[in-house]
PDB file of all heavy atoms in Angstrom:
ATOM      1  N   GLN A 322     467.220  35.269  66.618  1.00 92.00           N
ATOM      2  CA  GLN A 322     466.302  34.195  66.979  1.00 92.00           C
ATOM      3  C   GLN A 322     466.131  34.098  68.497  1.00 92.00           C
ATOM      4  O   GLN A 322     465.030  33.818  68.986  1.00 92.00           O
ATOM      5  CB  GLN A 322     466.822  32.876  66.421  1.00 92.00           C
ATOM      6  CG  GLN A 322     465.705  31.912  66.139  1.00 92.00           C
ATOM      7  CD  GLN A 322     466.213  30.565  65.670  1.00 92.00           C
ATOM      8  OE1 GLN A 322     466.770  29.801  66.441  1.00 92.00           O
ATOM      9  NE2 GLN A 322     466.043  30.283  64.394  1.00 92.00           N
ATOM     10  N   CYS A 457     461.682  27.156  58.220  1.00 89.00           N
ATOM     11  CA  CYS A 457     462.767  26.183  58.339  1.00 89.00           C
ATOM     12  C   CYS A 457     462.177  24.796  58.592  1.00 89.00           C
ATOM     13  O   CYS A 457     461.326  24.637  59.461  1.00 89.00           O
ATOM     14  CB  CYS A 457     463.658  26.609  59.499  1.00 89.00           C
ATOM     15  SG  CYS A 457     464.880  25.385  59.975  1.00 89.00           S
ATOM     16  N   SER A 458     462.618  23.805  57.837  1.00 88.00           N
ATOM     17  CA  SER A 458     462.052  22.455  58.009  1.00 88.00           C
ATOM     18  C   SER A 458     462.493  21.827  59.323  1.00 88.00           C
ATOM     19  O   SER A 458     461.935  20.829  59.735  1.00 88.00           O
ATOM     20  CB  SER A 458     462.483  21.514  56.894  1.00 88.00           C
ATOM     21  OG  SER A 458     462.720  22.179  55.730  1.00 88.00           O
ATOM     22  N   ARG A 459     463.512  22.382  59.937  1.00 89.00           N
ATOM     23  CA  ARG A 459     463.957  21.769  61.191  1.00 89.00           C
ATOM     24  C   ARG A 459     463.322  22.419  62.416  1.00 89.00           C
ATOM     25  O   ARG A 459     462.774  21.758  63.259  1.00 89.00           O
ATOM     26  CB  ARG A 459     465.479  21.822  61.289  1.00 89.00           C
ATOM     27  CG  ARG A 459     465.996  21.141  62.525  1.00 89.00           C
ATOM     28  CD  ARG A 459     467.490  20.970  62.513  1.00 89.00           C
ATOM     29  NE  ARG A 459     467.907  19.901  61.606  1.00 89.00           N
ATOM     30  CZ  ARG A 459     469.175  19.651  61.307  1.00 89.00           C
ATOM     31  NH1 ARG A 459     470.134  20.376  61.824  1.00 89.00           N
ATOM     32  NH2 ARG A 459     469.480  18.663  60.476  1.00 89.00           N
ATOM     33  N   CYS A 460     463.400  23.772  62.497  1.00 89.00           N
ATOM     34  CA  CYS A 460     462.941  24.410  63.741  1.00 89.00           C
ATOM     35  C   CYS A 460     461.676  25.244  63.551  1.00 89.00           C
ATOM     36  O   CYS A 460     461.106  25.724  64.518  1.00 89.00           O
ATOM     37  CB  CYS A 460     464.051  25.281  64.321  1.00 89.00           C
ATOM     38  SG  CYS A 460     464.330  26.794  63.397  1.00 89.00           S
ATOM     39  N   GLY A 461     461.233  25.430  62.309  1.00 87.00           N
ATOM     40  CA  GLY A 461     459.985  26.158  62.077  1.00 87.00           C
ATOM     41  C   GLY A 461     460.132  27.671  62.016  1.00 87.00           C
ATOM     42  O   GLY A 461     459.176  28.392  61.773  1.00 87.00           O
ATOM     43  N   TYR A 462     461.363  28.170  62.222  1.00 88.00           N
ATOM     44  CA  TYR A 462     461.587  29.621  62.179  1.00 88.00           C
ATOM     45  C   TYR A 462     461.551  30.090  60.718  1.00 88.00           C
ATOM     46  O   TYR A 462     461.789  29.310  59.808  1.00 88.00           O
ATOM     47  CB  TYR A 462     462.957  29.918  62.793  1.00 88.00           C
ATOM     48  CG  TYR A 462     463.193  31.363  63.152  1.00 88.00           C
ATOM     49  CD1 TYR A 462     462.530  31.942  64.228  1.00 88.00           C
ATOM     50  CD2 TYR A 462     464.092  32.147  62.427  1.00 88.00           C
ATOM     51  CE1 TYR A 462     462.744  33.261  64.560  1.00 88.00           C
ATOM     52  CE2 TYR A 462     464.313  33.465  62.763  1.00 88.00           C
ATOM     53  CZ  TYR A 462     463.633  34.021  63.832  1.00 88.00           C
ATOM     54  OH  TYR A 462     463.849  35.331  64.165  1.00 88.00           O
ATOM     55  N   SER A 464     462.391  31.329  57.115  1.00 87.00           N
ATOM     56  CA  SER A 464     463.592  31.101  56.326  1.00 87.00           C
ATOM     57  C   SER A 464     463.226  31.112  54.853  1.00 87.00           C
ATOM     58  O   SER A 464     462.138  30.687  54.475  1.00 87.00           O
ATOM     59  CB  SER A 464     464.190  29.746  56.708  1.00 87.00           C
ATOM     60  OG  SER A 464     465.209  29.408  55.818  1.00 87.00           O
ATOM     61  N   LEU A 468     466.522  25.241  55.263  1.00 86.00           N
ATOM     62  CA  LEU A 468     466.942  25.371  56.663  1.00 86.00           C
ATOM     63  C   LEU A 468     467.196  26.834  56.968  1.00 86.00           C
ATOM     64  O   LEU A 468     467.730  27.564  56.124  1.00 86.00           O
ATOM     65  CB  LEU A 468     468.258  24.611  56.883  1.00 86.00           C
ATOM     66  CG  LEU A 468     468.186  23.095  57.053  1.00 86.00           C
ATOM     67  CD1 LEU A 468     469.590  22.507  56.996  1.00 86.00           C
ATOM     68  CD2 LEU A 468     467.525  22.728  58.371  1.00 86.00           C
ATOM     69  N   CYS A 469     466.851  27.273  58.187  1.00 88.00           N
ATOM     70  CA  CYS A 469     467.131  28.673  58.514  1.00 88.00           C
ATOM     71  C   CYS A 469     468.625  28.824  58.792  1.00 88.00           C
ATOM     72  O   CYS A 469     469.336  27.849  59.035  1.00 88.00           O
ATOM     73  CB  CYS A 469     466.298  29.138  59.717  1.00 88.00           C
ATOM     74  SG  CYS A 469     466.850  28.490  61.293  1.00 88.00           S
ATOM     75  N   LYS A 470     469.071  30.055  58.742  1.00 89.00           N
ATOM     76  CA  LYS A 470     470.488  30.348  58.912  1.00 89.00           C
ATOM     77  C   LYS A 470     471.005  29.828  60.259  1.00 89.00           C
ATOM     78  O   LYS A 470     472.106  29.303  60.365  1.00 89.00           O
ATOM     79  CB  LYS A 470     470.652  31.870  58.829  1.00 89.00           C
ATOM     80  CG  LYS A 470     472.070  32.343  58.715  1.00 89.00           C
ATOM     81  CD  LYS A 470     472.587  32.257  57.316  1.00 89.00           C
ATOM     82  CE  LYS A 470     473.976  32.834  57.217  1.00 89.00           C
ATOM     83  NZ  LYS A 470     474.643  32.464  55.994  1.00 89.00           N
ATOM     84  N   SER A 471     470.179  29.977  61.268  1.00 92.00           N
ATOM     85  CA  SER A 471     470.575  29.570  62.598  1.00 92.00           C
ATOM     86  C   SER A 471     470.827  28.057  62.647  1.00 92.00           C
ATOM     87  O   SER A 471     471.829  27.589  63.199  1.00 92.00           O
ATOM     88  CB  SER A 471     469.453  29.982  63.540  1.00 92.00           C
ATOM     89  OG  SER A 471     469.802  29.822  64.838  1.00 92.00           O
ATOM     90  N   CYS A 472     469.922  27.280  62.045  1.00 91.00           N
ATOM     91  CA  CYS A 472     470.085  25.820  62.047  1.00 91.00           C
ATOM     92  C   CYS A 472     471.314  25.404  61.242  1.00 91.00           C
ATOM     93  O   CYS A 472     472.006  24.460  61.611  1.00 91.00           O
ATOM     94  CB  CYS A 472     468.832  25.134  61.495  1.00 91.00           C
ATOM     95  SG  CYS A 472     467.494  25.088  62.708  1.00 91.00           S
ATOM     96  N   VAL A 473     471.580  26.112  60.140  1.00 89.00           N
ATOM     97  CA  VAL A 473     472.743  25.765  59.326  1.00 89.00           C
ATOM     98  C   VAL A 473     474.031  26.072  60.095  1.00 89.00           C
ATOM     99  O   VAL A 473     474.965  25.260  60.135  1.00 89.00           O
ATOM    100  CB  VAL A 473     472.741  26.537  57.981  1.00 89.00           C
ATOM    101  CG1 VAL A 473     473.973  26.192  57.163  1.00 89.00           C
ATOM    102  CG2 VAL A 473     471.492  26.222  57.194  1.00 89.00           C
TER     103      VAL A 473
HETATM  104 ZN1   ZN B  48     465.860  26.470  61.757  1.00 84.08          ZN
END
Side-chain angles (χ1 to χ4, degrees):
Q322 208 184 71
C457 170
S458 331
R459 183 170 285 172
C460 73
Y462 195 71
S464 170
L468 281 169
C469 74
K470 191 81 176 165
S471 189
C472 283
V473 179

